[in-house]
Amino acid sequence: DNFKKVNDAYGHMFGDQLLQAVALAILSCLDEGQVLARLGGDEFIVLATKTSQSALEAMASRILNRLRQPFRIGLIEVYSGCSLGISLAPQHGKDRETVIRNADTAMYTAKENGRGKFCVFTPEMNQRVFEYLWLDTNLRKALDDNQLVIHYQPKVTWRGEIRSLEALVRWQSPERGLIAPTEFISYAEESGLIVPLGRWVMLDVLQQIAKWRDKGLNIRVAVNLSARQLADQTLFSDLRQALSDLHFEYSPIDVELTESCLIENEEVALSVIEQFSALGAQVHLDDFGTGYSSLSQLARFPIDAIKLDQSFVRDVHKQPVSQSLVRAIVAVAQALNLQVIAEGVESAKEDAFLTKNGVNERQGFLFAKPMPAAAFERWYKRYQTRKMR
Ligand code: C2E
Ligand code: CA
Ligand code: CA
């Protein structure tokens, strides 16, 4: 698991010696008649015949334990560690290439699951690896070729006004049609692509707000930010530049952060929140109540609103426990001078309970689904006429 780091730190000679030491260590875990080979780089493979899955798993545990011990090379002590994949013939493949490829897939799954583990191949792993590769080749292209689109979902104040929308990204794929963000955001976060993707979202939204402003429609839009974007200082310089290019005195964009974002790196989060606030952006805490929800966090970070997660909203009129939680969360928010926005409101009965109990804004299919900018304009006109009557 750590070979590349060691090699970079101590050089190739040292790396070669470590590989030799690791090879001997693995060899000491094998049974008679089994073959160890180096496939290349830091990858080794063991061929075991006339064995069983349980015997292979026991061997994998022996190797993991052995490689968990430090290696001493010259005066230096290093930890190597490893991840292992197991595939069996004929169950997981009848030819050499398939068996090796599936062992590789299982090994990648072990790495993905936190390293220092072994995994036995399952056919579902292939699906996931295939999906990963598909995203890997296509999502970057999507960003370059303008295949991403933003849908806007209105938030409705308790008085029935629309002051702000949420921007939710979608991918219009020529191959697969409209893809929901749940299918690609976590990949984008893992691969780092979320940084350019999130910047695109922010700048595209700002241009849309400027178009609306020029038509006389003044509205704010909240964008979702991932933890990885917080460390990216160019996000601010780009936003500042775009604000001035489009003649905004202060930011009509607000940001939604999750609790885990704040916890992962408190200092960075604090400075990010302060920078956004200084530009005039509000900061909202997304999915509130699903994560760590620490009250001290609410007090420490200068946030403007919390978004009550849909899990508290669903059937709230019928669920006494949800009712108590909503009342308690609203009370805490009011004590700290925070607004409460309820997410995923689907029925009039849910809405009646929320509004009666002090929720400031509501968002959900009851009012409107997320929709493209032009569809929002039509919806908004209809909404206003309905309200006048
Ligand atoms: P989220 O921020 O919690 O967004 C709310 C999700 O609930 C959206 O799903 C929205 O379409 C859906 N929703 C809204 N009203 C209702 C309702 O009444 N009932 C139900 N069942 N669902 C409702 P969506 O658009 O699929 O987005 C999923 C998640 O993807 C978002 O969750 C957000 O975490 C992430 N995401 C979306 N766009 C971006 C983005 O530009 N950047 C980042 N980092 N994440 C994004
Ligand atoms: Ca959100
Ligand atoms: Ca949410």
Side-chain angles (χ1 to χ4, degrees):
D1 278 338
N2 287 322
F3 182 71
K4 218 184 107 47
K5 260 192 240 154
V6 170
N7 212 33
D8 290 347
Y10 297 111
H12 293 286
M13 287 267 275
F14 186 90
D16 286 351
Q17 284 176 307
L18 177 62
L19 284 174
Q20 289 169 4
V22 165
L24 288 174
I26 300 175
L27 210 50
S28 73
C29 303
L30 304 193
D31 294 328
E32 192 130 343
Q34 300 179 337
V35 176
L36 172 67
R38 178 167 162 239
L39 274 189
D42 54 356
E43 282 191 43
F44 291 90
I45 189 162
V46 174
L47 172 69
T49 52
K50 299 202 193 73
T51 183
S52 64
Q53 180 165 336
S54 57
L56 287 173
E57 291 181 8
M59 184 214 290
S61 300
R62 282 202 300 277
I63 297 176
L64 283 172
N65 280 332
R66 177 62 191 84
L67 293 198
R68 231 171 252 143
Q69 315 297 321
F71 286 89
R72 223 194 143 82
I73 292 167
L75 292 172
I76 301 170
E77 213 171 53
V78 290
Y79 289 85
S80 168
C82 69
S83 300
L84 279 155
I86 298 175
S87 103
L88 302 157
Q91 297 93 308
H92 301 146
K94 293 196 175 61
D95 58 85
R96 187 170 46 196
E97 281 74 27
T98 315
V99 177
I100 293 180
R101 193 179 59 237
N102 289 343
D104 215 30
T105 300
M107 188 268 292
Y108 274 111
T109 309
K111 275 195 197 289
E112 241 179 67
N113 293 347
R115 296 164 181 263
K117 299 187 167 76
F118 73 83
C119 279
V120 181
F121 175 79
T122 62
E124 294 80 61
M125 288 177 185
N126 258 339
Q127 191 52 42
R128 282 195 37 223
V129 169
F130 177 78
E131 203 44 44
Y132 192 91
L133 288 176
W134 189 83
L135 288 170
D136 205 44
T137 34
N138 291 290
L139 188 56
R140 183 171 291 278
K141 220 169 117 237
L143 193 56
D144 294 340
D145 294 356
N146 261 318
Q147 291 171 13
L148 298 182
V149 285
I150 306 224
H151 284 196
Y152 295 89
Q153 188 180 33
K155 290 176 270 182
V156 184
T157 68
W158 63 276
R159 289 170 183 275
E161 296 153 340
I162 314 289
R163 292 204 191 132
S164 165
L165 315 174
E166 178 175 3
L168 294 153
V169 69
R170 273 103 182 86
W171 174 2
Q172 187 67 56
S173 151
E175 202 178 318
R176 293 191 180 178
L178 197 66
I179 305 178
T182 43
E183 306 281 314
F184 61 87
I185 289 291
S186 65
Y187 164 79
E189 287 173 343
E190 225 175 276
S191 63
L193 210 57
I194 194 70
V195 170
L197 190 155
R199 175 180 314 124
W200 179 84
V201 168
M202 186 167 261
L203 299 179
D204 196 72
V205 164
L206 195 62
Q207 281 173 7
Q208 183 59 57
I209 300 175
K211 281 184 206 151
W212 279 330
R213 175 195 60 191
D214 297 345
K215 287 185 184 176
L217 171 59
N218 283 307
I219 202 147
R220 304 184 66 79
V221 179
V223 301
N224 292 284
L225 289 191
S226 296
R228 275 195 76 161
Q229 291 178 264
L230 302 191
D232 172 33
Q233 279 299 318
T234 57
L235 192 68
F236 290 104
S237 40
D238 291 351
L239 178 60
R240 239 178 259 122
Q241 186 62 50
L243 286 171
S244 105
D245 289 349
L246 294 166
H247 314 293
F248 284 106
E249 253 173 74
Y250 40 80
S251 170
I253 285 188
D254 300 320
V255 292
E256 298 190 3
L257 303 174
T258 59
E259 297 167 83
S260 50
C261 255
L262 303 188
I263 286 184
E264 259 173 47
N265 194 338
E266 294 198 4
E267 263 155 52
V268 171
L270 197 56
S271 116
V272 166
I273 292 176
E274 278 163 0
Q275 294 190 67
F276 273 117
S277 304
L279 290 176
Q282 288 193 8
V283 178
H284 300 168
L285 202 51
D286 208 351
D287 305 336
F288 186 78
T290 58
Y292 312 83
S293 301
S294 112
L295 295 180
S296 66
Q297 212 182 43
L298 278 186
R300 189 163 60 249
F301 291 104
I303 51 179
D304 301 287
I306 57 178
K307 295 195 80 178
L308 191 64
D309 190 71
Q310 198 197 9
S311 50
F312 302 105
V313 168
R314 195 174 297 124
D315 290 333
V316 64
H317 54 288
K318 295 194 278 203
Q319 305 282 350
V321 177
S322 301
Q323 291 172 8
S324 309
L325 288 171
V326 169
R327 286 201 188 95
I329 292 173
V330 170
V332 170
Q334 284 173 349
L336 294 170
N337 240 328
L338 303 173
Q339 300 274 305
V340 180
I341 305 165
E343 303 192 288
V345 182
E346 293 183 355
S347 76
K349 284 188 173 150
E350 291 167 350
D351 184 42
F353 178 87
L354 297 166
T355 312
K356 194 168 137 239
N357 284 280
V359 164
N360 305 90
E361 271 185 284
R362 301 138 309 150
Q363 179 183 14
F365 297 167
L366 175 64
F367 306 99
K369 291 199 166 167
M371 53 203 151
F376 166 71
E377 288 175 33
R378 290 193 295 274
W379 178 90
Y380 186 58
K381 278 200 190 104
R382 279 202 311 276
Y383 182 85
Q384 280 181 314
T385 355
R386 233 181 306 149
K387 239 182 80 186
M388 303 264 264
R389 271 200 241 116

